[in-house]
Amino acid sequence: MNIGQFAVLTGVSAHTLRYYEKIGLLRSVVRNGSGHRDYAAKEAEWIGFINRLKETGMPLKQILIYAELRAKGDATAGQRQLLLEQHATQLAERIRHEQEHLAALEQKIHYYQTHFSG
Amino acid sequence: MNIGQFAVLTGVSAHTLRYYEKIGLLRSVVRNGSGHRDYAAKEAEWIGFINRLKETGMPLKQILIYAELRAKGDATAGQRQLLLEQHATQLAERIRHEQEHLAALEQKIHYYQTHFSG
DNA sequence: CATTGACTTAGAGTTAACTCTAAGGCGTAA
DNA sequence: TTACGCCTTAGAGTTAACTCTAAGTCAATG
């Protein structure tokens, strides 16, 4: 699959896919006879996981650390697990904070309702 | 209170306070005889609310819209309420997404536990 | 055979939100 | 009175994560 098709499949632009490759998030992208990138469909799962980490606020630099461990194989599983556990803990805490913020917003909205409903 | 003291009180750097004033988030900051900014302690509440909006992912540009409505007085209460309601809705949705992401992370962690625990 | 459209690269440009620098002024403690 | 730490301004620099540009290659279509 060429980069355009893979971009559609993953929802990540071709520009961004090249960028991810350049910074090391994507490794072992093979080329066809013309030198064009040729993606395997199953690589889309990895992009999906990158997106999940991004959407939970992990910076690319840290995702890159995970990617490097992943590229080293099973021996690094423990380190990757630790990394994910730490991230999950942070995420849980962020969710708690956001729930507090949401409650505060709803209270403020209620204030607007009761004081300015005229 | 001078800018340094107000920075400590709010947890926002003096640089950033000047920046907020420049872009219009902070209005009516009065000056003392030497031309130095002189903050009222109760302005810290507004900074706190700005921080809440920021921490829930609202861009400064949109916070600025709220600030402009606020500066116009009670007549704009309805618009401000609407703005907050929309933001609260988005926030609630984001929290839901993050909870899904958290569940997926925990499942992946569990996978690491069961497959690489040696 | 010419055009079209997708691909290649290195590197420049963008946006948000700061963050810092340079050059200078004011007030007070030693 | 001099040193210190605060303050002032305009504007430059930073970081993250893209996003785009320019110049060129290549395969397939009319």
Side-chain angles (χ1 to χ4, degrees), chain A residues 52-59 62 87 90-91 94, chain B residues 98:
Chain A
R52 192 185 286 290
L53 293 178
K54 273 203 318 160
E55 279 167 36
T56 52
M58 189 185 281
Q62 207 177 341
H87 185 58
Q90 284 170 29
L91 178 56
R94 178 140 41 83
Chain B
E98 286 178 347

Side-chain angles (χ1 to χ4, degrees), chain B residues 33-66:
Chain B
S34 319
H36 291 191
R37 291 169 180 82
D38 186 11
Y39 293 89
K42 78 166 276 245
E43 272 293 275
E45 285 167 34
W46 171 230
I47 300 285
F49 189 60
I50 289 173
N51 278 334
R52 193 186 285 290
L53 293 177
K54 274 204 317 159
E55 278 168 36
T56 52
M58 188 185 281
L60 288 191
K61 266 192 186 165
Q62 208 177 338
I63 298 176
L64 186 53
I65 292 173
Y66 185 91

Side-chain angles (χ1 to χ4, degrees), chain A residues 49 52 55-56 66 74 77 80-81 85 87-88 94 98-99 101-102 104-105 108-109 112-113 116, chain B residues 49 52 55-56 66 74 77 80-81 85 87-88 94 98-99 101-102 104-105 108-109 112-113 116:
Chain A
F49 189 60
R52 192 185 286 290
E55 279 167 36
T56 52
Y66 184 91
D74 287 0
R80 275 179 278 160
Q81 184 186 335
E85 278 170 358
H87 185 58
R94 178 140 41 83
E98 286 178 348
Q99 280 165 341
H101 286 316
L102 181 57
L105 282 180
K108 186 140 190 156
I109 288 166
Y112 274 113
Q113 268 162 5
F116 298 99
Chain B
F49 189 60
R52 193 186 285 290
E55 278 168 36
T56 52
Y66 185 91
D74 286 0
R80 275 179 279 160
Q81 184 185 337
E85 279 170 357
H87 185 59
R94 177 140 41 84
E98 286 178 347
Q99 280 166 340
H101 286 315
L102 181 56
L105 282 180
K108 186 140 189 153
I109 289 166
Y112 274 112
Q113 269 162 3
F116 298 100

Side-chain angles (χ1 to χ4, degrees), chain A residues 66 68-81, chain B residues 112:
Chain A
Y66 184 91
E68 279 160 0
L69 291 172
R70 184 174 175 269
K72 287 191 190 154
D74 287 0
T76 66
Q79 288 169 73
R80 275 179 278 160
Q81 184 186 335
Chain B
Y112 274 112

